[in-house]
Amino acid sequence: MSEFNPTMQLAYDYLESTNTVVFLTGKAGTGKTTFLQQIRKQLPKKLAVVAPTGVAAINAGGMTIHSLFQLPFGPLVPGGIEQPELHYNVEKKGLLASLELLIVDEISMVRPDVLDHIDLILRNIKGSAYPFGGVQLLLIGDLSQLSPVIREEEWSILRPYYTTPYFFSSLVLQKTPYVRIELEHVYRQKEQAFVDILNEVRNQQVSAENLSLLNARYIPDFRPTTVDNYITLTTHNGIAQKINQELLEALAGQEYEFSATISGEFPKDAYPTDTGLKLKIGSQVMFVKNDGSAEKRYYNGKIGKVTNIAGSTVFVQCGEDDHEIVVEAVEWTNVKYELEGEAIAETKAGSFAQVPLKLAWAITIHKSQGLSFDQAIIDVSEAFTHGQAYVALSRCRSLSGMVLRNPIMAANIIGDPAVARFNEQAKALQPDQSRLNHDRERYQLFLLTELFNLSELKTLLQSFEGLLPDLQKEVTEVAEKFVRQLKSERSQQAASYFLEKLRLAIEDLYRQLPELIGTSKDIAAKADRLMVWLMNRVRLMEAFSIQPFSTNTYLTLVQSSLKTHERSFLIALSAPVNEKLFLQFIEWREKRAVMEKVMPNMVLTEKTLKVIAERLPATLKALGSMKGVGTQKATLYGAELIGMIRTFQQVQSGTGMEQGQLF
């Protein structure tokens, strides 16, 4: 990956060629978020992204941990529930059974009991004794930033089991080999003197000289000019709201209110801005989303001033930019993960549409995490918890762009000794090439075990009473015994045995498919999933019945199984209204995925394409309103899709191409 620096490349190599748990850390501004975005685009593993809070989940483009794993919000006592996944439906179990990589963003805010519960759930669902059931975890975050929110009564319940409230105290990580990779090159700040100050604040060891240099930015009674774009970062939400309300009311002129449109599931704690956003001309605002257009006119955290308001459109001038930015409502998506075949697809659970702005004379330090500012007024005189001062100061790109509302005292820089101890001890977890090679060998042994781990087959068969009865005794039970006594030299012989049994199962299932599919759409979908699983596992057994097992061959075969169309004969049995058009969409999606270097389901899911083939939307507006598409994807792909629809209709009707508008 040429765009990665050497440390990022090491992290990518670990994710690509091992299943070792990786804790990716680094100072603010070292590119952790950028790395996450690249991983989502480039890594071929089946992955899901989660975060501890709604806002963090939306920013990371994933789900909250509690939503994906359906966890209660209270303390989760280890050993309290042996099978917390019992209430999951078959689809949820199938999704988690297919998971290869779980990315947890803002890991510094995750409690240890939550991580232990995830471990228990994944081990149960995967039918594996490996930590997290063999699923690789990428834990991203900086322990010097915000810590877990845990009340005293909750900690009194968890204290007997954990030495600290941080994720690294989880029982699973106490017994699991993992690596800590630290990104060190700072991209946000360019001044070495400022970087040095931030490093000392991060380590709670600020020298008198650097504290004096920092406090030189204290300017009593500072009032920014109307052309400046300063934002105040403060410790308490009430203070930020008071500043914003007072300054909005002080502006002359009409007040305009913009109402958000919310549909489906979108948690209130994840709302990116106000549902009733009040603005006046002259309001200082901050963009709360990156511009999804090719022009990239704005980014999350960019500050500007409202220069005009016309209907539903807001005009914003940012600093000395030559042109105003024309701003209209955009959509945020609350993601859910669903299993389609053997691929994990992102689907839209809900949406929040609003002008992507919020009043920005002031925000809380907590809400500033992950953002960067050119000009900021900082007040940490009332800092009350670990990491607040560091988060606030590190949001600034330069020392000269920072103004302190009150001088900073050493007492304002609050740290946690437990974090300092862990950071010092964890230096031994930084891997080198030798450790990477060792972990690659461990991964190969794990994948060999996975080849003969047929527990997912048992889960899939639960939906069908009496279906394929011989599989339980002749396949799944034998596989469980073989895995317990796994010997690599016997793997080819074992693959040949299971190959024969699975081929017979496919023949038997194929004879029963018409009857199963006629039962209900739900049963048809489950039969489709079972058949896909069997065919992909047969392909693996075929390969390793004639050659020794290797990691590269296994991973290549697994990835190719996601791109084949062997589901097409099942599609024919439960064909959508316009099967030929649907198959054209599938072929088009493959080409787009190659062009964009993404997994096909990141273009549009198979489920969504089926609906499009059935409904035949005639305009971009109609296409964009469909579940799983949305305005952004309709803009990107609409012309091609509607073009294919019209050509299909022309062939079907035998008439000339209808002339019409896309909009």
Side-chain angles (χ1 to χ4, degrees), residues 90 118 309 439 486 519 538 561 605:
V90 174
I118 292 172
I309 297 174
D439 288 339
L486 184 63
T519 306
V538 161
S561 72
T605 68

Side-chain angles (χ1 to χ4, degrees), residues 448 452 482 487-496 544 548-549:
L448 180 59
F452 300 105
F482 180 74
K487 294 182 180 179
S488 58
E489 62 270 18
R490 294 180 54 205
S491 63
Q492 286 181 242
Q493 180 183 354
S496 297
F544 297 116
F549 184 87

Side-chain angles (χ1 to χ4, degrees), residues 420-596:
R421 285 195 300 273
F422 171 77
N423 284 336
E424 187 60 34
Q425 296 166 358
K427 290 178 181 177
L429 301 173
Q430 182 77 14
D432 54 17
Q433 190 62 42
S434 175
R435 172 70 188 272
L436 174 60
N437 292 337
H438 170 74
D439 288 339
R440 281 171 169 160
E441 291 174 3
R442 289 179 58 248
Y443 185 45
Q444 176 161 318
L445 180 60
F446 168 77
L447 292 179
L448 180 59
T449 304
E450 280 298 283
L451 175 63
F452 300 105
N453 178 5
L454 306 186
S455 59
E456 188 177 351
L457 178 58
K458 291 176 67 175
T459 301
L460 292 169
L461 287 171
Q462 287 174 3
S463 301
F464 307 96
E465 185 177 351
L467 183 70
L468 307 177
D470 293 340
L471 277 185
Q472 182 70 22
K473 186 174 183 180
E474 297 182 359
V475 176
T476 58
E477 291 181 6
V478 174
E480 288 170 2
K481 293 177 183 177
F482 180 74
V483 167
R484 288 196 294 268
Q485 307 168 17
L486 184 63
K487 294 182 180 179
S488 58
E489 62 270 18
R490 294 180 54 205
S491 63
Q492 286 181 242
Q493 180 183 354
S496 297
Y497 171 83
F498 291 115
L499 175 61
E500 179 186 355
K501 300 298 181 184
L502 293 177
R503 277 176 171 164
L504 291 173
I506 288 175
E507 292 176 9
D508 194 6
L509 179 58
Y510 188 74
R511 284 192 294 271
Q512 300 179 59
L513 271 174
E515 181 181 348
L516 287 171
I517 289 172
T519 306
S520 70
K521 287 185 177 180
D522 182 56
I523 292 296
K526 291 173 181 176
D528 180 272
R529 191 172 301 145
L530 174 59
M531 180 64 89
V532 170
W533 187 93
L534 287 168
M535 295 183 71
N536 286 330
R537 193 53 57 110
V538 161
R539 184 184 295 106
L540 291 170
M541 295 298 181
E542 283 176 340
F544 297 116
S545 65
I546 59 175
Q547 63 179 304
F549 184 87
S550 76
T551 297
N552 288 340
T553 303
Y554 181 89
L555 294 177
T556 300
L557 288 169
V558 167
Q559 290 310 313
S560 68
S561 72
L562 301 180
K563 300 175 182 177
T564 58
H565 306 311
E566 293 188 0
R567 281 169 283 184
S568 59
F569 79 96
L570 279 179
I571 292 165
L573 289 171
S574 58
V577 174
N578 299 309
E579 179 199 345
K580 289 182 180 178
L581 178 60
F582 171 65
L583 294 177
Q584 288 176 24
F585 285 163
I586 292 291
E587 184 177 353
W588 163 84
R589 184 184 69 162
E590 297 294 333
K591 292 176 181 177
R592 288 293 312 206
V594 171
M595 287 170 56
E596 298 177 17

Side-chain angles (χ1 to χ4, degrees), residues 210-224:
N210 275 338
L211 189 59
S212 175
L213 187 60
L214 186 59
N215 280 322
R217 298 307 305 157
Y218 167 54
I219 305 175
D221 302 317
F222 176 76
R223 292 290 182 271

Side-chain angles (χ1 to χ4, degrees), residues 8-26:
M8 287 181 176
Q9 184 62 54
L10 177 63
Y12 185 88
D13 290 343
Y14 254 93
L15 297 174
E16 183 181 47
S17 60
T18 81
N19 69 337
T20 302
V21 174
V22 176
F23 171 35
L24 183 75
T25 188

